Amino acid sequence: GRDLICIQSMDGMLMLFEQESYAFGRFLPGFLLPGPLAYSSRTDSFITVSSCQQVESYKYQVLAFATDADERQDTEQQKLSSGKRLVVDWILNIGEQALDICIVSFNQGASSVFVLGERNFFCLKDNGQIRFMKKLDYSPSCFIPYCSVQEGTVNTLIANHSKILNVYQDVTLKWATQLPCIPVSVKVANFQDLKGVIVTLSDDGHLQCSYLGTDPSLFQAPKVDSREINYEEMNAEMKELQKIIREATKTQDILPESEKQRDITVIAEVSADLDKESQAIDSEVKAGAVPSVTVKITIQSRVTAQKPSLAVCVQAPLAVTCDQFVFDDLEPDSSETVVLSVFLKENCSPPELEGTCMVSYNTPTELNPEGIPRVSQCSFSLPLKLVCFPAQPSKAANHKLTIDTNKPPISFVTIFPDFVDPSEGDQANALGFQFLTGSKATLLASKTSQRYRIQSDQLEDLWLVTKELIYRLEEHFKKQNCKDFACTFSGSIPLQEYFELIDRHFELRLNAEKYQELLSERAVQFRAIERRLLTRFKDKTPAPLQHLDTLLEGTFREVSAV
Amino acid sequence: EPLFQAWSYFRRRKFRECADVCSQLLERPPSEQVAGAGPGREVEAAWSLKTRALTEMVYVDEIDMDQEGIAEMILDENAVAQVARPGTSLKLPGTGQGGGPSPAVRPVTQSGRPITGFVRPSTQGGRPSTMEQAIRTPRTALTARPITSASGGYIRPGTASMLTNPDGPFINLSRLNLTKYAQKPKLAKALFEYIFHHENDIKNALDLAALATEHAQFKDWWWKVQIGKCYYRLGLYREAEKQFKSALKQQDMVDTFLYLAKVYLRLDQPVTALNLFKQGLERFPGEVTLICGIARIYEEMNNISSAAEYYKDVLKQDNTHVEAIACIGSNHFYSDQPEIALRFYRRLLQMGVYNCQLFNNLGLCCFYAQQYDMTLSSFERALFLAENEEETADVWYNLGHVAVGIGDLNLAYQCFKLTLVNNNDYAEAYNNLAVLEMRKGHTEQARALLQTASSLAPHMYEPHFNIAILSEKVGDLQRSYTAAQKSEEAFPGHVDTQQLLKQLKEHFAML
């Protein structure tokens, strides 16, 4: 007939009161943060979940007579009189923190301990064995086992943080219902003429009594804004749009805009002279000084351009000192200028002496603040002096090429002023080119006929000189307003040599492919050995490596060699 | 009482407030701290609470995390047999013992598995057989696979610490004396979860777990499971298996079963995993996660009918299970019962699933169930709800389908174009657009589109087959033959391809 009250404090002390009078207090061992606490009358014990993520059960008897685990300074006497240290009745490791504990016994036979963990829901027997458990795929907030309808089962209400109250019969979901708020506590109450009311208490103190309704709380999808449809207007708009679409589909390819409409113009100026101090970096050319030439690129913008970036590209073996530039957003009618140098990087003559620079930028429009991506580009040509310098002409050569023109020959002093030493005078009818890579080419002009001859020991060296010659001749005659200038080649094209070169190229290609195959084969082998080694090393019992390491090293060397 | 306040915040899942209160507690000078049962106890309590709060903020159930990188797949030394018997391995697609639908009816993923009704992390990519193939597999926005799992999805949880604390992480792991903490079981578990989930530092977590389990004299199953988790993350599956098995011996837990099954799946032993799940079901009858695991395995093994059975079991236990409803729905859809599928999808809508994909499915179901009035409004909503361009592309693709269905080829053409505007890697749209172009007689454009489609999705047989037909029409028999062969490779049972091949062979024989 007496009421006993047990209070757990934040520091882990259990205080027991008999009616109003303080009976005793006890510290729980290994206490850190308070867990849920419940009293089981059948076994006369307190059940809690400790910070070690264990369900622990303490007998009342043991609590009453035990000394505090922490009070080590007890005298001998006290120890003798007050019995032993606090010993737990049983422990069950559930591996997670618990939110609540409930002990119920609906039928006389067995009582069950229900523990609501953070991720699982447990039902334990009196002695701490799991009767059943259920993994929850939501984070629960509170629960109450309330009654048993069927023999041997218990119904439970579990509320969760997504505002749903679930009704379980053992582990089977029987009903799910939506709540207006997240409850912190749920109970089933019986009032005078109301039975089995679900009472929930919310975070902000709202108490709510409710029944499980049969009206499903259907999810109402929000309406898409449906306006009154004016069919005539719609028709007109549709026609308009159809027209636009038809227009758009007619011009399948997106044609580049004409130069005039360009919002951004790019101008590249190649300086006439080579740099006084060569800007070449890491050049592999063996010749002593590698010349470089300065290119000045100017970007002029007529509109606002966002994120403009400039890319300069020249064909290998040429290289630039810097090939990427990023600018701040350009205002209308503003310009940016960058300066860079071009030089010969690899040890072979380039196929062409041209470069391109490209600017990509976004032009924002009213509808599209991100901007429409656009590109503008320009190309520039580099001087021949970048890859060769004047040298003594040589008479004999393996490959010769003769070009006929329909105009009298022009002195080299006029068309190759940068290669001919003016002191030699007009008579010079032979011009030598020494490429940086080492080979030589000679240009001969016939004094009597309208012919030029280019000769070199290597076929490929003819090209650059020939191109330059034709280009300069054309320029020269354009200046003189001579429109019917033409160059022709009458001799037989040196196809044989050309084919030989192609054959060699093809062979190299084949070789490259072969090497690639070899490389992938070796890589496969390497991975296989790695795998074997991995298994070896993972084994608890170290087995001899059986020269796998040597094999690995060998393969690695092969891979690197390839 | 600030500690109580923090604890209350924690219970109400207001973790940020909880962490803030705990930080204030921890910053107080030691003299002010009220000595409770012992000095420093309150500090420990606040510390532990803060670790828990920070962990909960970024907690993701480890069971659902699964991402297999290329490197793991290639250096997978755990493979039991290179050539598995049919029905015992997940590596070989199409090993289902009948019951699996043909790719003509149900689209397949890259690995040749029918697509499932629910997107899970591991359902997307297949297992390429060599490194070269893995690297060459076309990567689109949806199938991109990280090179190693360490660089994939784990990045996000890993960076959480930097986001939450701009002035350095809460716990400096390198300076932590793990041995000391391992001897305090009350602190160690919270600390472990913090290291594992929040800091994502598996090696330190493993060290701590190893020390702690030693301290617990190998009697704590929880630590064994944690060690197993660490081993799993590190790719030591056999060791993980041992730990999980040993944990199961001590204490049956649902989670342990799930982890162990995950290990078996990774070791490519689906049958063992199935048995394990069934064993787990004997212990915990009616456990939804276990049944669902069985269903997923059957689905991956192409045994759709069994999977549907188990999904139905799931619904018997928990009739609000979204994954089960979605999977059964898609199963009905692909077995020509759009009306029934429609009912499942409407159930999902009732439950409050409100996203683009659902309306997309609803729209398609409505269309095939001949409820045309609902079709367009569903798609309208889907477009309204689409969160990114991939989703928008899906909706436009389906609208294109509907347009083809009602014969409005012009609209269909525009829809497919819009699909491509939204998602430039949409192979199916390329294919369909090509068919439309073919009808218009633009052969060259059709060919270009088809080639794009086939290079984007070599696993689809349709583009190959269409190229074959197209080439055959214009008389390019050689190309037709190679394309037909590719088509046959992608879908061996395709009758039209076989007929075409036969026809071509006769042609060649005549020549």
Side-chain angles (χ1 to χ4, degrees), chain A residues 42-90:
Chain A
R42 246 178 64 87
T43 52
D44 188 26
S45 54
F46 289 97
I47 298 170
T48 184
V49 177
S50 74
S51 297
C52 304
Q53 313 190 335
Q54 292 169 334
V55 185
E56 296 173 356
S57 158
Y58 298 98
K59 288 251 191 232
Y60 178 75
Q61 297 288 333
V62 181
L63 275 180
F65 292 114
T67 49
D68 285 330
D70 296 334
E71 289 175 24
R72 292 283 157 82
Q73 68 271 41
D74 276 5
T75 58
E76 279 296 300
Q77 215 178 4
Q78 270 176 316
K79 253 187 190 166
L80 281 174
S81 64
S82 60
K84 51 215 159 144
R85 290 177 51 194
L86 188 52
V87 180
V88 290
D89 189 21
W90 50 262

Side-chain angles (χ1 to χ4, degrees), chain A residues 27-229:
Chain A
F27 281 105
L28 292 174
F31 180 87
L32 199 60
L33 281 166
L37 183 74
Y39 174 71
S40 162
S41 56
R42 246 178 64 87
T43 52
D44 188 26
S45 54
F46 289 97
I47 298 170
T48 184
V49 177
S50 74
S51 297
C52 304
Q53 313 190 335
Q54 292 169 334
V55 185
E56 296 173 356
S57 158
Y58 298 98
K59 288 251 191 232
Y60 178 75
Q61 297 288 333
V62 181
L63 275 180
F65 292 114
T67 49
D68 285 330
D70 296 334
E71 289 175 24
R72 292 283 157 82
Q73 68 271 41
D74 276 5
T75 58
E76 279 296 300
Q77 215 178 4
Q78 270 176 316
K79 253 187 190 166
L80 281 174
S81 64
S82 60
K84 51 215 159 144
R85 290 177 51 194
L86 188 52
V87 180
V88 290
D89 189 21
W90 50 262
I91 285 183
L92 174 74
N93 191 342
I94 57 167
E96 66 195 295
Q97 292 294 332
L99 293 168
D100 207 356
I101 289 185
C102 260
I103 294 154
V104 284
S105 51
F106 292 117
N107 34 13
Q108 271 66 41
S111 75
S112 315
V113 182
F114 287 87
V115 181
L116 182 70
E118 277 167 343
R119 325 199 200 291
N120 290 294
F121 165 63
F122 300 90
C123 172
L124 314 178
K125 292 179 192 164
D126 272 342
N127 56 0
Q129 279 170 334
I130 294 180
R131 179 167 287 150
F132 60 78
M133 70 178 277
K134 174 162 183 63
K135 191 170 157 62
L136 304 174
D137 51 2
Y138 45 80
S139 38
S141 64
C142 54
F143 86 126
I144 174 89
Y146 63 97
C147 71
S148 119
V149 184
Q150 218 177 316
E151 187 67 28
T153 63
V154 177
N155 285 16
T156 315
L157 292 173
I158 301 180
N160 64 22
H161 279 94
S162 33
K163 296 186 187 172
I164 291 174
L165 185 72
N166 290 318
V167 184
Y168 288 96
Q169 182 173 57
D170 280 358
V171 291
T172 310
L173 181 71
K174 285 290 170 192
W175 198 268
T177 178
Q178 187 87 37
L179 290 174
C181 56
I182 300 170
V184 291
S185 177
V186 59
K187 289 281 180 295
V188 177
N190 283 315
F191 298 109
Q192 266 183 339
D193 26 335
L194 282 172
K195 277 192 185 144
V197 184
I198 299 169
V199 185
T200 51
L201 179 67
S202 81
D203 191 356
D204 47 6
H206 277 87
L207 193 72
Q208 180 178 319
C209 302
S210 42
Y211 269 112
L212 290 179
T214 48
D215 268 353
S217 105
L218 286 189
F219 172 75
Q220 292 289 328
K223 279 234 162 76
V224 188
D225 54 331
S226 56
R227 27 184 186 169
E228 279 291 308
I229 299 169

Side-chain angles (χ1 to χ4, degrees), chain A residues 122-409:
Chain A
F122 300 90
C123 172
L124 314 178
K125 292 179 192 164
D126 272 342
N127 56 0
Q129 279 170 334
I130 294 180
R131 179 167 287 150
F132 60 78
M133 70 178 277
K134 174 162 183 63
K135 191 170 157 62
L136 304 174
D137 51 2
Y138 45 80
S139 38
S141 64
C142 54
F143 86 126
I144 174 89
Y146 63 97
C147 71
S148 119
V149 184
Q150 218 177 316
E151 187 67 28
T153 63
V154 177
N155 285 16
T156 315
L157 292 173
I158 301 180
N160 64 22
H161 279 94
S162 33
K163 296 186 187 172
I164 291 174
L165 185 72
N166 290 318
V167 184
Y168 288 96
Q169 182 173 57
D170 280 358
V171 291
T172 310
L173 181 71
K174 285 290 170 192
W175 198 268
T177 178
Q178 187 87 37
L179 290 174
C181 56
I182 300 170
V184 291
S185 177
V186 59
K187 289 281 180 295
V188 177
N190 283 315
F191 298 109
Q192 266 183 339
D193 26 335
L194 282 172
K195 277 192 185 144
V197 184
I198 299 169
V199 185
T200 51
L201 179 67
S202 81
D203 191 356
D204 47 6
H206 277 87
L207 193 72
Q208 180 178 319
C209 302
S210 42
Y211 269 112
L212 290 179
T214 48
D215 268 353
S217 105
L218 286 189
F219 172 75
Q220 292 289 328
K223 279 234 162 76
V224 188
D225 54 331
S226 56
R227 27 184 186 169
E228 279 291 308
I229 299 169
N230 183 344
Y231 283 99
E232 276 173 23
E233 265 178 38
M234 285 276 276
N235 248 337
E237 196 185 338
M238 188 72 187
K239 264 182 194 157
E240 185 77 12
L241 291 176
Q242 292 276 15
K243 218 169 109 192
I244 297 173
I245 292 173
R246 224 171 299 131
E247 285 292 308
T249 43
K250 239 180 236 168
T251 52
Q252 272 286 337
D253 301 298
I254 305 154
L255 295 167
E257 284 176 88
S258 65
E259 213 49 51
K260 275 181 208 162
Q261 291 170 326
R262 278 290 156 79
D263 300 325
I264 280 192
T265 33
V266 193
I267 303 160
E269 287 174 55
V270 183
S271 68
D273 302 318
L274 295 179
D275 296 345
K276 277 179 192 143
E277 270 179 50
S278 174
Q279 303 288 322
I281 335 160
D282 307 332
S283 181
E284 291 163 18
V285 182
K286 277 154 203 140
V290 180
S292 69
V293 70
T294 305
V295 181
K296 190 170 127 193
I297 298 169
T298 315
I299 303 168
Q300 284 168 345
S301 159
R302 295 195 291 118
V303 291
T304 317
Q306 291 175 338
K307 297 183 221 153
S309 70
L310 169 73
V312 184
C313 100
V314 288
Q315 282 241 345
L318 292 172
V320 290
T321 43
C322 181
D323 59 351
Q324 291 278 348
F325 299 91
V326 179
F327 308 106
D328 294 331
D329 291 1
L330 286 174
E331 296 296 314
D333 297 319
S334 63
S335 64
E336 290 272 353
T337 309
V338 291
V339 174
L340 49 95
S341 295
V342 185
F343 60 94
L344 187 68
K345 187 163 187 183
E346 283 157 49
N347 196 17
C348 52
S349 41
E352 58 175 12
L353 285 169
E354 301 223 318
T356 46
C357 41
M358 258 167 281
V359 181
S360 64
Y361 56 97
N362 290 347
T363 49
T365 56
E366 262 176 55
L367 289 174
N368 188 356
E370 290 279 299
I372 307 160
R374 289 190 182 282
V375 174
S376 58
Q377 58 176 341
C378 85
S379 58
F380 53 91
S381 53
L382 301 160
L384 185 63
K385 272 194 129 177
L386 193 61
V387 291
C388 58
F389 49 88
Q392 274 299 315
S394 61
K395 291 271 145 110
N398 292 346
H399 301 283
K400 285 169 189 165
L401 204 69
T402 314
I403 288 179
D404 297 322
T405 61
N406 52 2
K407 296 282 165 195

